[in-house]
Amino acid sequence: MRRNAIVTMNVTIDLQNHSGIRAVPLRRQFKHWAMAALTAAAPERAVNRISVRLVDETESAELNGQYRNKPRPTNILSFPLPPELSELPELGDLAICTQVVQREAREQGKSEDAHWAHLTVHGVLHLLGYDHEQEDEAQVMEALETRILQQLGYPDPY
């Protein structure tokens, strides 16, 4: 009798808090959110390592200016590993601006927890190659984000 192979996913989160704010999600929360995104979008990836750096608005603006030519703080930036390194277990880096996350959650009437979860899922999908520059890409990515967040018990972020 043939058995289906069960892939056990391993996710490692390297969490660095350089935001100056102590009230941030725990490493295990980032891991939970990342694992949900990876399970939905890349279940074949058995080993995954993601660096999450929590930054302040100054660092976010510097990174956004340097890498996207937009010198202002943003909620999240994703830095996927180059394609030639895709065989490595590392997926890449996420830079999340704590102050922007908190402000956006208030302005959008969301819980901070729900917004952190959404941005983490969003960033992991970017690390996997998803994008939202074109309307058709945005529809695919947003639908996947919504499904993942609903599975995690959060409302539709859009």
Side-chain angles (χ1 to χ4, degrees):
M1 184 155 119
R2 211 172 147 202
R3 294 181 185 214
N4 291 335
I6 296 175
V7 176
T8 303
M9 184 176 292
N10 181 8
V11 177
T12 301
I13 299 292
D14 176 22
L15 180 62
Q16 306 161 11
N17 186 355
H18 293 268
S19 71
I21 295 176
R22 295 178 54 91
V24 296
L26 301 171
R27 180 186 326 268
R28 67 179 164 78
Q29 290 172 286
F30 284 107
K31 180 176 179 171
H32 180 65
W33 299 327
M35 188 171 277
L38 287 161
T39 300
E44 71 285 353
R45 288 190 57 98
V47 180
N48 303 277
R49 184 179 190 92
I50 301 168
S51 292
V52 177
R53 181 175 173 93
L54 306 181
V55 300
D56 62 17
E57 289 180 297
T58 300
E59 186 174 355
S60 178
E62 289 170 0
L63 290 168
N64 204 21
Q66 181 177 354
Y67 293 101
R68 297 180 64 227
N69 253 356
K70 298 178 180 182
R72 61 183 181 274
T74 188
N75 52 21
I76 187 166
L77 293 165
S78 303
F79 301 96
L81 231 53
E84 61 270 15
L85 299 176
S86 65
E87 295 303 313
L88 296 176
E90 287 84 7
L91 275 177
D93 305 328
L94 301 176
I96 307 175
C97 183
T98 301
Q99 290 88 345
V100 172
V101 173
Q102 292 174 332
R103 183 172 53 250
E104 286 179 347
R106 277 191 312 274
E107 290 170 354
Q108 297 172 16
K110 299 177 180 177
S111 73
E112 279 188 29
D113 189 57
H115 200 41
W116 279 107
H118 176 216
L119 292 175
T120 302
V121 167
H122 183 87
V124 170
L125 292 179
H126 273 307
L127 294 179
L128 292 170
Y130 286 83
D131 208 343
H132 48 80
E133 293 300 315
Q134 304 298 321
E135 181 62 30
D136 58 333
E137 294 173 333
Q139 289 177 359
V140 169
M141 188 171 177
E142 290 173 9
L144 184 54
E145 287 174 56
T146 299
R147 191 175 87 233
I148 293 165
L149 289 165
Q150 288 174 337
Q151 290 170 348
L152 288 167
Y154 296 106
D156 184 337
Y158 297 103

